[in-house]
Amino acid sequence: MEGTSRLTMIKAILFDKDGTLLKFSDIWVDSIVKYLSKKNLNHDAKKKLFKKIGVKENNEVKENSILSSETVEDLALIFSEFMDESQEEIYKDIDDFLLEFLKENNSEIKETCDLKSLFTDLKNRGIIIGLFTSDNYRQAKYSMEYLNLDSFIDFYAAADLYEKKPSTESLEIFKKKYSLRDQEIIIVGDSKVDMIFGKDTLKLGVLCGTGSREMLEKYTENIVEDPRGVLKFL
């Protein structure tokens, strides 16, 4: 097993959100399309912007792209190149807009597997559960509350609370809070940034998101279909 051994007891699991716990749905592309519809951008500018953030012509999202792996702040930086507004203004505007869009379209918040069953099993084993996401806290918290999963989450590491992945700021705070070592933690995700986050943790790549098997295998030998596969490593 990569990064750990059978003699090391796993005490905590850190899950990425979109593409790992939640299906990476059209809601994110749809929200950006609607947000941009309010802006005075011509067709060519929108096309260039979409390409830059990782939206393909068929509206699918590229793996390891800004939209699939990066933060609202990163989106705001790109958007500011095309709009007559500051990055700070755009950031606040997008953050509020995405939360309201999520609430209005919450039927699109869908699990990649039976998370309640998985989380219940993990809690029965005494596992600490963390959610590490490139989204902001309000969107992550709302998604978990909507699915009645918030009570299972011990720690939220969102992009507006800590330095974004792959910075280990949030990981170090998480470790200190629960007196953990890297070898006692599994990180589960679907992107490159998830796989390079936390040097000596056990990495588990899932195929239910935007990341391909070929890409994930560059960073870990542990590839599973969805988060339920984590049970094999406990």
Side-chain angles (χ1 to χ4, degrees):
M1 290 175 65
E2 178 189 325
T4 189
S5 72
R6 292 292 183 184
L7 298 178
T8 302
M9 179 178 289
I10 296 298
K11 297 180 180 179
I13 302 175
L14 308 180
F15 292 96
D16 170 54
K17 183 169 72 67
D18 293 309
T20 300
L21 294 180
L22 304 184
K23 293 180 180 179
F24 201 101
S25 72
D26 292 338
I27 189 171
W28 298 114
V29 176
D30 291 345
S31 63
I32 296 303
V33 169
K34 187 171 181 181
Y35 177 78
L36 293 176
S37 70
K38 305 187 304 174
K39 305 298 179 179
N40 187 26
L41 291 175
N42 61 42
H43 176 74
D44 288 343
K46 286 183 181 179
K47 191 173 180 180
K48 289 178 182 177
L49 190 157
F50 268 64
K51 184 176 181 180
K52 199 158 187 175
I53 64 175
V55 180
K56 301 177 186 179
E57 290 188 3
N58 62 0
N59 272 6
E60 289 184 359
V61 180
K62 294 180 182 178
E63 66 179 12
N64 299 329
S65 64
I66 290 173
L67 188 56
S68 69
S69 305
E70 301 298 334
T71 68
V72 173
E73 190 170 0
D74 293 312
L75 286 175
L77 178 61
I78 299 298
F79 286 15
S80 68
E81 298 175 15
F82 295 84
M83 300 176 188
D84 188 24
E85 299 175 57
S86 71
Q87 181 184 349
E88 293 74 19
E89 291 172 322
I90 295 172
Y91 172 79
K92 186 179 186 310
D93 195 25
I94 296 177
D95 187 40
D96 290 339
F97 181 86
L98 290 180
L99 180 61
E100 291 310 309
F101 192 90
L102 189 63
K103 291 178 178 179
E104 291 169 4
N105 298 273
N106 54 25
S107 61
E108 293 299 311
I109 303 174
K110 298 176 181 177
E111 303 164 281
T112 56
C113 63
D114 184 350
L115 294 178
K116 184 175 182 181
S117 174
L118 172 61
F119 286 174
T120 298
D121 192 336
L122 295 177
K123 285 300 180 184
N124 287 340
R125 297 169 187 247
I127 299 294
I128 300 161
I129 298 175
L131 183 67
F132 280 44
T133 177
S134 295
D135 280 353
N136 283 356
Y137 175 74
R138 293 189 299 168
Q139 288 88 331
K141 179 82 169 175
Y142 176 78
S143 296
M144 292 298 103
E145 288 176 342
Y146 174 75
L147 295 172
N148 295 314
L149 297 172
D150 178 59
S151 62
F152 292 98
I153 310 297
D154 298 295
F155 188 87
Y156 281 90
D160 56 341
L161 299 180
Y162 306 101
E163 292 180 12
K164 68 177 184 177
K165 298 181 289 186
S167 166
T168 58
E169 179 195 27
S170 55
L171 178 60
E172 293 305 317
I173 292 172
F174 178 73
K175 285 162 54 181
K176 185 176 181 179
K177 180 174 182 178
Y178 294 103
S179 301
L180 297 165
R181 296 179 295 129
D182 279 8
Q183 294 82 359
E184 297 170 323
I185 300 170
I186 299 177
I187 290 177
V188 186
D190 69 311
S191 70
K192 173 183 175 180
V193 74
D194 297 325
M195 296 298 99
I196 63 176
F197 175 64
K199 182 180 178 182
D200 295 319
T201 57
L202 174 64
K203 306 300 193 316
L204 186 63
V206 293
L207 298 173
C208 51
T210 61
S212 64
R213 178 182 290 275
E214 181 182 19
M215 182 276 293
L216 291 168
E217 284 178 342
K218 293 178 182 178
Y219 305 99
T220 181
E221 62 187 25
N222 306 311
I223 311 292
V224 295
E225 289 301 317
D226 61 50
R228 288 172 295 190
V230 77
L231 297 174
K232 293 185 286 187
F233 294 86
L234 300 178

